[in-house]
Amino acid sequence: MISKACQYGIRAAIFIASRRNDGIKLNVKQIACEVDAPEAFTAKILQELNKHRIITSLKGPYGGFFIEEFQLEQPVINIVNAIDGMSVFKECGLGLKQCSASHPCPMHDQYKIARDALQNAFQQTSIRHLALQVNEGSSFINNLVLKN
Amino acid sequence: MISKACQYGIRAAIFIASRRNDGIKLNVKQIACEVDAPEAFTAKILQELNKHRIITSLKGPYGGFFIEEFQLEQPVINIVNAIDGMSVFKECGLGLKQCSASHPCPMHDQYKIARDALQNAFQQTSIRHLALQVNEGSSFINNLVLKN
DNA sequence: TTTATAAAAGATGGTTTTATCTTTTATAAA
DNA sequence: TTTATAAAAGATAAAACCATCTTTTATAAA
Ligand code: FES
Ligand code: FES
């Protein structure tokens, strides 16, 4: 549906948002660990999110990644756009070069419903909202580890 | 969303179904050409669909691919299952190892709506139904070629 | 039975995605 | 200014996916 890079990116952004307070900054190691993502790959993704101003970074000692107040209100779809682009929300479900109502594939009507629902899911949800859920303990950005 | 192999497979199956009449059989070249798919790759996919009894094949002269009456009623999700498997309809949208309501990711509720809509799209549509649309001329399994 | 035909099976190559490692740059504190 | 720290940038490696090519097998007609 969306790439692994994008999934890691969303989880990371939510985590950073969930830990936002005073001037605290998080480094790659902490972030990757907390969201169950490979560290070096996460670094690349965070770099990309910083370029797109989804999050903010600061180099050097006491540096790291953090999210600013104005960035919290962004919809999650901004992250998808930064990493995967918007094509998943536009492309034909059966792989035709163009998706259009005037030259539709046989599944166009049904597929479009699902595709639009997916777009709405990412469009109508802000990073702040998701971070809040995590802080409440009602949802999680890491895997459940089952005990013996 | 779904793999290219799967998209080609669905288009090919619909095409074969749309040409079903008497004992006519279609060969790979014709099918690949009509659905705008690479020929050798299409051969591999048709092979897989035959294994899963989505379509039927016969080797030798006057052989080729065709679809039997009882196969027409199958939902398109059977093709997705044969090629990609069912994981796309079960997996967490944010990449957690398990999608569950008891340990949900922050997007679980919204994502599940879209994912279920996608599953319904493929589950509630039969190959026959889509082939009929193509025969009516109301939808297409190949790309629109724009003239000068 | 021989021959031609078309799919099946198996081997191989290219591209994209996922992931890691090394070097460089920025920055804050000492 | 020096030093330590952490991200940025760039190079490289591994895996998955997309695609093609060659050899084998099945089958129908001559
Ligand atoms: S044309 Fe295929 S989904 Fe729109
Ligand atoms: S847990 Fe993420 S979609 Fe269900």
Side-chain angles (χ1 to χ4, degrees), chain A residues 1 11 94 97 104 140 143, chain B residues 1 11 94 97 104 140 143:
Chain A
M1 212 79 111
R11 301 220 304 270
L94 298 189
K97 283 174 191 166
F140 308 86
N143 292 302
Chain B
M1 210 79 114
R11 301 221 303 272
L94 297 190
K97 284 176 190 163
F140 308 86
N143 291 303

Side-chain angles (χ1 to χ4, degrees), chain A residues 90-96 98-101 103-109 111-112 115, chain B residues 140:
Chain A
K90 293 172 187 159
E91 284 172 349
C92 169
L94 298 189
L96 296 186
Q98 287 285 332
C99 168
S100 79
H103 185 89
C105 75
M107 290 215 45
H108 175 80
D109 291 346
Y111 184 78
K112 194 171 186 307
R115 199 184 56 185
Chain B
F140 308 86

Side-chain angles (χ1 to χ4, degrees), chain B residues 15-28:
Chain B
F15 172 66
I16 294 167
S18 76
R19 288 295 174 89
R20 172 180 160 76
N21 65 341
D22 48 72
I24 205 176
K25 297 179 196 75
L26 303 160
N27 62 34
V28 173

Side-chain angles (χ1 to χ4, degrees), chain A residues 1 7 11 93-97 103-107 110-111 114 118 121-122 125 130 133 138-140 142-144, chain B residues 1 7 11 93-97 103-107 110-111 114 118 121-122 125 130 133 139-140 142-144:
Chain A
M1 212 79 111
Q7 295 175 333
R11 301 220 304 270
L94 298 189
L96 296 186
K97 283 174 191 166
H103 185 89
C105 75
M107 290 215 45
Q110 303 99 304
Y111 184 78
L118 188 73
F122 289 116
T125 313
L130 298 183
Q133 283 187 31
S138 63
S139 66
F140 308 86
N142 51 19
N143 292 302
L144 183 62
Chain B
M1 210 79 114
Q7 295 176 332
R11 301 221 303 272
L94 297 190
L96 296 186
K97 284 176 190 163
H103 185 89
C105 76
M107 290 216 46
Q110 303 99 305
Y111 183 78
L118 188 73
F122 289 116
T125 313
L130 298 183
Q133 283 188 31
S139 67
F140 308 86
N142 50 18
N143 291 303
L144 183 62

Side-chain angles (χ1 to χ4, degrees), chain A residues 41-69:
Chain A
F41 194 30
T42 301
K44 279 290 175 213
I45 297 161
L46 291 172
Q47 205 174 311
E48 200 64 22
L49 293 183
N50 176 54
K51 272 184 197 160
H52 282 81
R53 309 206 184 270
I54 309 288
I55 58 176
T56 305
S57 72
L58 195 70
K59 289 184 182 179
Y62 299 82
F65 296 93
F66 58 102
I67 193 161
E68 299 181 74
E69 177 62 30

Side-chain angles (χ1 to χ4, degrees), chain B residues 36-141:
Chain B
D36 281 343
E39 189 179 322
F41 195 30
T42 303
K44 278 291 175 211
I45 297 160
L46 291 172
Q47 205 173 313
E48 200 64 23
L49 293 183
N50 176 55
K51 271 182 198 162
H52 282 82
R53 310 208 182 270
I54 309 288
I55 58 176
T56 305
S57 73
L58 194 69
K59 288 184 183 180
Y62 297 83
F65 295 93
F66 59 102
I67 192 162
E68 299 181 74
E69 177 61 29
F70 79 93
Q71 294 175 315
L72 280 174
E73 218 47 58
Q74 291 182 97
V76 182
I77 205 169
N78 286 16
I79 303 175
V80 178
N81 182 45
I83 295 171
D84 286 354
M86 297 292 276
S87 53
V88 69
F89 306 118
K90 293 173 187 160
E91 283 172 347
C92 168
L94 297 190
L96 296 186
K97 284 176 190 163
Q98 288 285 330
C99 168
S100 79
S102 58
H103 185 89
C105 76
M107 290 216 46
H108 175 81
D109 291 347
Q110 303 99 305
Y111 183 78
K112 195 171 185 306
I113 291 172
R115 199 184 57 186
D116 288 351
L118 188 73
Q119 177 159 7
N120 285 340
F122 289 116
Q123 183 75 64
Q124 296 171 355
T125 313
S126 68
I127 296 173
R128 167 180 275 130
H129 180 72
L130 298 183
L132 213 65
Q133 283 188 31
V134 172
N135 283 336
E136 281 171 356
S138 63
S139 67
F140 308 86
I141 65 222

